[in-house]
Amino acid sequence: MNTIHYVLLAFVVGFAGLYARSPKNPKLALAWLRIGVLGAASLAVLAPFVWLVAAAFKDKAYLNEYVFFPPLSEWSSKTLNLDNFRVLFAGDPTIQGTVYFWQYVVNSLFLATATTMLQLFFCSAAGYALAKYEFRAKKALMTFMLASMMIPGVLLLAPVYEMMVKLHLVDSFKGLLLPGIVSAYGIFLFRQACLGVPNEMIDAGRIDGCSEFRIYLNLAMPLVRPMSAAFCLVTFLASWNWVWFHPCGRGGSGRLT
Amino acid sequence: MSAPKQLYRGWAPWLLLAPYLAITLVFTLYPLLNAAVLAFYQTNGPVSRVFVGLGNFRFLLTDPVFYKALWNTCVFAVCSVFLQLPLSMALALLLNSGNDRLKGFFRLVLFSPNLVGQIFVGILFSVLFTPRYGLINRFVQELTGWGLEEQWLGNPALVMPAIVLTGLWVYVGFNMIYFLAALQGVDKSLEEAARIDGANRLQVFWNVTLPSMRHVVVFVVVTSIIGSFQLFELPLSLLPASNGRGPDNSGLTVISYLYEVGFNSGDLGLGSAVGWVVALIILAISTLQIRLSGAAEEA
């Protein structure tokens, strides 16, 4: 028997007690169960993160000494310090010269930002076209897009890599950026959002002599701004996390301690 | 609001779609066809290739390593559907049963592993599974008195459980969000009616709540299976020393297998063949799943 067992036992006893008091209408017992189970699940999710933060600040020699942070009485510059960060930012000597960690960060930031901006523009344009125009082959195009989302990415890994070799894009920013500047997922998202743009407004724009592109940019886009914000967030996160595994493998988000 | 009905004859929609079409043509459609062609060749790096007909597929069907990979992948898929999704559903139900400030907090916490990448999760967990010092080893020891020295990632019998466990940590919260959204769309009056007619909580859930969110359930099951078959980064970063294969190939997934033969051994042809086999399996399972749920709906 140790602490974890006592806590578990107390939880079960508490639940049983509350349930026994009013088995017909176990509101309190359910609330107890809810908080307990959700709390336990949250702890399980958070524990690795807490461990990670602790590990980042603990001195190398003390990494395995304590599970999380050392007890308060032993806090000192010997157990907790910024050495890990000093090493991280100190730079890594390679054949191409010293590489600093902040260069990785800048790479990742640049790629994620560029991908997000380009995707925002290209996906919304395509989504708007699919929502607000009737043209030949539109149905076929939509079907193709849906199907293309089902293709496992890895199937394309090998041929895309070959393509990159042919186009001389291996090991370059262009190669990392280009395939990611538009996505079927984003287009669908924007198509759904653009369906809500009133046709009357588009017609009014046409009568006033707006070009089709201006209608999209100045009339439709402001109306789907909330969707754009959500889209940017999701895309940025995805591309920030994604960099590592890519046909031309470069960079690396390297956000470990 | 429907789109204008008359056919638009100008170039505007095509211009707006042009970037997507160009990128798709170069980076999806052409490689896809190329993969179909490549699957019939044996290649060695990007330079040499020899036509081998169905040889790649014949090799796959006789390669025990490929079957091992397929088996591991199926184990993970079964665990996602029968272990992870019920857990997600249970948490979503518990979250939905009350409406207080805690709900938002729990939702955010349970979803938070999805804010970091799979690679990150894999590296983190490879440390947590360390014998004697790893967080998970310590916790299991406290709970059961066993396993402090256990090498989760070195013992063939424990590699898949470790991968499944890591997958649980990440994806339970992710699927929970879908279930939660679906639960909030369930008609409360139907549930009330069932309760008044004397159904208990379990019956209400099974006969009223679950059927009315079946579309989301089917969607989540299908995407989970597809995701399972594309499992690659997690084992790769959990077992970096062996490229995600683990001892005795115990952590090998079909995609790791593809990566191994296609990139490390340089036979992109065989890799493409694996890719096509995986794609066909995914397609078959998704179609079956959607058909079945459609049939259940009509019955």
Side-chain angles (χ1 to χ4, degrees):
Chain A
M1 290 294 266
N2 55 39
T3 328
I4 294 181
H5 293 134
Y6 286 124
V7 169
L8 278 177
L9 198 67
F11 175 71
V12 173
V13 168
F15 177 71
L18 285 172
Y19 188 80
R21 252 181 54 188
S22 50
K24 282 265 139 43
N25 184 19
K27 258 218 167 85
L28 266 178
L30 273 182
W32 176 265
L33 189 72
R34 177 168 182 261
I35 301 291
V37 172
L38 287 176
S42 301
L43 276 183
V45 166
L46 285 180
F49 286 127
V50 176
W51 180 89
L52 187 70
V53 172
F57 288 100
K58 271 187 290 194
D59 191 86
K60 249 192 193 150
Y62 290 87
L63 180 62
N64 290 325
E65 194 89 350
Y66 314 101
V67 182
F68 293 109
F69 285 101
L72 268 178
S73 56
E74 309 205 3
W75 280 33
S76 69
S77 60
K78 229 170 95 189
T79 51
L80 292 175
N81 54 39
L82 295 175
D83 268 1
N84 292 327
F85 293 94
R86 230 166 275 145
V87 173
L88 178 64
F89 287 106
D92 223 356
T94 67
I95 11 171
Q96 288 144 353
T98 312
V99 178
Y100 291 97
F101 176 70
W102 57 261
Q103 285 175 327
Y104 295 130
V105 177
V106 170
N107 280 356
S108 289
L109 269 181
F110 168 76
L111 271 178
T113 314
T115 308
T116 308
M117 299 315 286
L118 290 169
Q119 275 220 18
L120 178 63
F121 177 63
F122 290 134
C123 288
S124 63
Y128 171 76
L130 285 176
K132 284 299 162 188
Y133 293 103
E134 284 298 326
F135 53 93
R136 225 168 280 151
K138 181 170 141 177
K139 270 245 171 71
L141 193 63
M142 298 272 289
T143 317
F144 170 76
M145 274 173 52
L146 259 181
S148 78
M149 288 202 281
M150 285 199 189
I151 301 170
V154 282
L155 173 58
L156 301 178
L157 198 63
V160 166
Y161 184 73
E162 236 201 326
M163 191 81 183
M164 294 277 179
V165 175
K166 271 187 207 154
L167 294 176
H168 304 289
L169 287 174
V170 177
D171 237 10
S172 74
F173 268 128
K174 263 184 292 175
L176 279 173
L177 203 52
L178 219 57
I181 62 172
V182 63
S183 72
Y185 168 79
I187 293 176
F188 261 98
L189 213 66
F190 274 109
R191 177 180 175 267
Q192 294 317 106
C194 286
L195 283 177
V197 175
N199 290 328
E200 292 79 11
M201 225 175 91
I202 296 173
D203 287 336
R206 281 198 188 120
I207 292 167
D208 287 348
C210 243
S211 73
E212 295 295 323
F213 185 72
R214 285 284 301 278
I215 293 176
Y216 146 73
L217 197 64
N218 294 355
L219 290 179
M221 273 300 95
L223 286 180
V224 295
R225 198 171 287 160
M227 179 56 93
S228 307
F231 175 75
C232 281
L233 186 71
V234 171
T235 313
F236 187 87
L237 271 177
S239 44
W240 171 255
N241 283 329
W242 167 72
V243 178
W244 188 90
F245 176 54
H246 192 274
C248 9
R250 190 198 198 179
S253 40
R255 288 158 306 126
L256 257 185
T257 53
Chain B
M1 203 71 59
S2 67
K5 277 287 156 280
Q6 75 274 24
L7 211 60
Y8 187 86
R9 294 196 179 279
W11 282 101
W14 290 107
L15 274 181
L16 290 171
L17 279 165
Y20 168 72
L21 292 176
I23 292 292
T24 310
L25 204 67
V26 177
F27 291 110
T28 306
L29 206 55
Y30 176 76
L32 198 63
L33 294 176
N34 201 2
V37 175
L38 216 55
F40 296 101
Y41 284 87
Q42 183 173 47
T43 62
N44 193 356
V47 268
S48 79
R49 57 167 62 179
V50 185
F51 184 78
V52 289
L54 287 170
N56 283 332
F57 295 99
R58 218 173 287 140
F59 174 78
L60 277 186
L61 292 180
T62 54
D63 187 9
V65 180
F66 179 68
Y67 281 111
K68 178 80 192 170
L70 207 56
W71 168 252
N72 286 340
T73 308
C74 289
V75 167
F76 188 85
V78 167
C79 285
S80 335
V81 174
F82 293 103
L83 201 67
Q84 177 188 318
L85 295 187
L87 259 174
S88 302
M89 181 64 97
L91 288 176
L93 280 170
L94 281 174
L95 262 183
N96 203 41
S97 67
N99 209 347
D100 45 25
R101 214 174 293 163
L102 280 173
K103 185 176 170 181
F105 169 75
F106 282 136
R107 193 174 48 192
L108 177 68
V109 168
L110 292 173
F111 183 74
S112 62
N114 290 283
L115 297 179
V116 298
Q118 270 198 16
I119 297 288
F120 177 90
V121 173
I123 297 174
L124 176 58
F125 270 71
S126 70
V127 181
L128 298 186
F129 278 121
T130 317
R132 186 173 313 174
Y133 298 118
L135 190 58
I136 293 167
N137 292 57
R138 279 177 165 165
F139 179 75
V140 171
Q141 157 83 15
E142 287 283 301
L143 198 63
T144 63
W146 161 88
L148 188 61
E149 304 281 346
E150 205 56 62
Q151 289 200 356
W152 285 83
L153 301 173
N155 180 347
L158 288 177
V159 168
M160 270 327 276
I163 295 175
V164 169
L165 213 64
T166 314
L168 279 185
W169 186 72
V170 184
Y171 294 115
V172 163
F174 183 75
N175 291 316
M176 185 196 74
I177 296 290
Y178 279 117
F179 287 142
L180 197 58
L183 276 175
Q184 282 159 352
V186 171
D187 193 352
K188 286 277 178 301
S189 58
L190 274 178
E191 292 180 335
E192 289 295 321
R195 291 304 295 280
I196 290 166
D197 287 348
N200 63 32
R201 276 168 200 273
L202 203 64
Q203 287 170 326
V204 171
F205 171 73
W206 194 251
N207 296 319
V208 179
T209 315
L210 201 57
S212 46
M213 53 191 283
R214 63 179 175 277
H215 292 295
V216 175
V217 173
V218 170
F219 173 80
V220 171
V221 169
V222 169
T223 48
S224 290
I225 292 177
I226 294 180
S228 305
F229 269 91
Q230 301 197 10
L231 184 73
F232 168 55
E233 290 161 311
L234 215 50
L236 182 74
S237 49
L238 267 175
L239 308 153
S242 53
N243 269 328
R245 306 174 66 132
D248 289 346
N249 291 325
S250 52
L252 190 75
T253 66
V254 276
I255 304 305
S256 309
Y257 182 83
L258 189 162
Y259 188 79
E260 187 77 27
V261 297
F263 288 87
N264 287 354
S265 314
D267 189 353
L268 291 179
L270 187 54
S272 300
V274 180
W276 270 95
V277 171
V278 175
L280 289 179
I281 293 174
I282 290 177
L283 199 68
I285 292 175
S286 326
T287 316
L288 191 73
Q289 187 76 36
I290 291 164
R291 278 280 160 77
L292 277 180
S293 64
E297 217 159 286
E298 277 160 30

